[in-house]
């Protein structure tokens, strides 16, 4: 009889990631300290684009692997952790962790590639870019036996949590003066990642309250007063019961789950008061259409294809890369950028619906190694991955 872990591995092989997550979750209920199960579930989360959950599993895997003193498991869990940090745009942290992998095993295959990507990305970032920061340590600052998700609310539409400290947690660093506390954020299609840059936040006395359109953070200061931050209303609605809160020695993180996946937040806080109205497509079939289209690499509907937007030090604000093919004025901005990407976007924009469908199917199924405009050929079956000569396709 196959074990749940075996079923999970088979689900991973056939790319049924939801089933893999389910099976490894069941396996972890029986063996909650298994680094291998945590690494496998982290892999499934990564391939489901749930990078926050993937990082949480990877960090717990590191802690348990270190306790077992199993070098191979330590290397694999750290490599998985570094990948997750990279995908979360934490490039400084990713480089730090992947260098640990390189030190432990210089021959590790995938980590070398991701370390190179992190180093190249860091070279392109401004000196004051928050993504350069290194806020992690070799041993993750997380209680090994604690879940990294905020507990569900007991009722209503709010989610109020108080972060609980670990019994073995180190002493908090000196608290950041209130006038130097600041916050930052970025987003992907499903979540908004909020970070409060504050050291020494007391885990046992911090309250994070999340409602559908508001976020409130409160904790005591060493001066005897309290720090309170309220964002009300948020730019759009979130799912309070699914949001995640993390209180770390150097910062506080909140992962807000968007009520409307694929919706691009222009700002963190809205200038307009919150209303009870729902998005126009909330009750229609277009909700399923949006979910399908957000998985496509290209799309002819810019409203449903907004990619992740990140904070920027540019005085002109965040750059909308999807707009480079929409006007003659924007075409000039391609210079110095990715001309090939601009060309393919323009090609897609001017193609027939059948050609667009062929391009999306071939590009996504081949993991970006093939692009076909012939629907009659593409529709016959799955487009296989065909890596360039000298390279080998690998799952990660």
């Amino acid at each position: 009889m196959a074990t749940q872990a075996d079923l999970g591995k088979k689900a991973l092989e056939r790319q049924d990631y939801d089933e893999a997550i389910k099976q490894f979750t069941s396996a972890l209920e029986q063996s909650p300290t298994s680094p291998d199960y945590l690494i496998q579930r982290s892999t499934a989360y990564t391939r489901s684009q749930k990078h926050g959950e993937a990082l949480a599993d990877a960090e717990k895997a590191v802690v348990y692997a270190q306790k077992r003193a199993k070098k191979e498991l330590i290397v694999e869990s750290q490599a998985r952790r570094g990948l997750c940090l990279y995908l979360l745009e934490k490039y400084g942290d990713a480089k730090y962790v992947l260098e640990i992998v390189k030190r432990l095993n210089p021959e590790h295959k995938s980590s070398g590639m991701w370390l190179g990507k992190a180093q190249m990305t860091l070279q392109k970032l401004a000196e004051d870019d928050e993504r350069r920061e290194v806020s992690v340590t070799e041993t993750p600052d997380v209680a090994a036996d604690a879940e990294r998700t905020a507990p569900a609310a007991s009722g209503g539409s709010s989610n109020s949590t108080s972060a609980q400290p670990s019994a073995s947690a180190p002493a908090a660093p000196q608290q950041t003066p209130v006038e130097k506390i600041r916050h930052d954020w970025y987003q992907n299609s499903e979540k908004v990642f909020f970070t409060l840059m504050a050291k020494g936040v007391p885990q046992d006395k911090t309250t994070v309250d999340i409602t559908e359109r508001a976020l409130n953070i409160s904790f005591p200061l060493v001066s005897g007063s309290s720090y309170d931050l309220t964002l009300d209303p948020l730019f759009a609605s979130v799912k309070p019961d699914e949001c995640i809160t993390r209180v770390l020695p150097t910062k506080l993180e909140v992962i807000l789950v968007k009520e409307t996946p694929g919706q691009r937040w222009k700002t963190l806080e809205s200038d307009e008061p919150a209303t009870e109205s729902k998005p126009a497509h909330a009750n229609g079939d277009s909700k399923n259409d949006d979910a399908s289209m957000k998985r496509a690499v290209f799309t002819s509907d810019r409203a449903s294809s907004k990619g992740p937007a990140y904070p920027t030090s540019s005085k002109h604000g965040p750059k909308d890369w999807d707009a480079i093919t929409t006007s003659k004025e924007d075409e000039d901005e391609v210079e110095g950028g990715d001309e090939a990407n601009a060309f393919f976007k323009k090609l897609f924009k001017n193609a027939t619906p059948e050609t667009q469908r062929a391009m999306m199917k071939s590009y996504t199924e081949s993991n970006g190694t093939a692009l076909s405009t012939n629907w009659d050929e593409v529709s016959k079956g799955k487009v296989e991955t065909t890596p360039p000569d000298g390279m080998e396709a690998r799952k990660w």
Side-chain angles (χ1 to χ4, degrees), residues 104-343:
L104 295 174
N105 182 4
E107 303 301 322
H108 192 271
K109 297 180 181 179
S110 63
S111 61
M113 178 191 71
W114 288 106
L115 176 58
K117 290 171 70 71
Q119 292 171 332
M120 291 179 62
T121 303
L122 285 168
Q123 291 176 0
K124 300 176 183 178
L125 297 180
E127 290 297 327
D128 59 347
D129 195 304
E130 300 290 347
R131 291 170 288 178
R132 283 182 167 274
E133 291 189 4
V134 177
S135 59
V136 297
T137 57
E138 183 164 352
T139 299
D141 182 33
V142 57
D145 58 349
E147 290 297 330
R148 293 283 295 281
T149 57
S154 57
S157 60
S158 68
N159 176 19
S160 179
T161 67
S162 295
Q164 298 299 320
S166 166
S168 59
Q174 184 176 1
Q175 195 173 70
T176 301
V178 65
E179 65 273 10
K180 293 186 178 181
I181 295 177
R182 52 195 174 88
H183 63 266
D184 205 347
W185 71 284
Y186 63 95
Q187 64 179 305
N188 60 24
S189 62
E190 297 182 347
K191 299 173 182 177
V192 172
F193 300 85
F194 173 89
T195 302
L196 185 71
M197 305 296 183
K199 296 181 180 179
V201 176
Q203 291 182 321
D204 58 336
K205 298 179 181 179
T206 298
T207 299
V208 179
D209 187 75
I210 306 170
T211 63
E212 291 183 358
R213 288 296 301 277
L215 167 65
N216 176 264
I217 299 173
S218 177
F219 57 86
L221 299 170
V222 293
S223 62
S225 60
S226 64
Y227 177 86
D228 290 282
L229 174 67
T230 299
L231 302 175
D232 185 9
L234 295 170
F235 181 82
S237 297
V238 300
K239 299 178 180 178
D241 293 347
E242 299 181 21
C243 296
I244 300 173
T245 299
R246 301 171 59 194
V247 179
L248 304 175
T250 59
K251 59 187 175 181
L252 183 150
E253 294 182 342
V254 179
I255 301 177
L256 302 171
V257 180
K258 296 179 180 179
E259 177 70 32
T260 306
Q263 181 183 29
R264 179 177 180 272
W265 288 25
K266 296 180 180 179
T267 59
L268 184 59
E269 192 172 11
S270 176
D271 294 331
E272 301 178 0
T275 63
E276 297 299 326
S277 60
K278 295 293 184 180
H281 65 274
N283 297 318
D285 293 338
S286 61
K287 182 174 183 180
N288 293 329
D289 295 338
D290 289 345
S292 298
M293 290 301 289
K294 76 177 182 179
R295 292 190 293 268
V297 175
F298 301 103
T299 178
S300 60
D301 182 1
R302 292 184 59 213
S304 64
S305 67
K306 293 293 186 181
Y310 305 99
T312 175
S313 58
S314 171
K315 62 184 179 181
H316 301 295
K319 176 64 179 173
D320 181 2
W321 290 106
D322 290 336
I324 64 175
T325 61
T326 61
S327 67
K328 179 66 176 68
E329 179 181 356
D330 287 339
E331 288 178 3
D332 296 335
E333 296 182 17
V334 175
E335 183 177 356
D338 189 345
E339 296 180 358
N341 189 44
F343 168 76

Side-chain angles (χ1 to χ4, degrees), residues 5-6 30 32 35 56 80 90 92 96 126 133 144 195 200 202 231 250 262 264 352 374 382 384 391 393:
D6 291 334
Q30 302 299 320
R80 175 59 48 183
K90 298 177 181 291
Y96 174 85
E133 291 189 4
T195 302
L231 302 175
T250 59
R264 179 177 180 272
T352 64
N374 188 340
K382 179 180 178 181
E384 298 297 330
M391 298 186 70

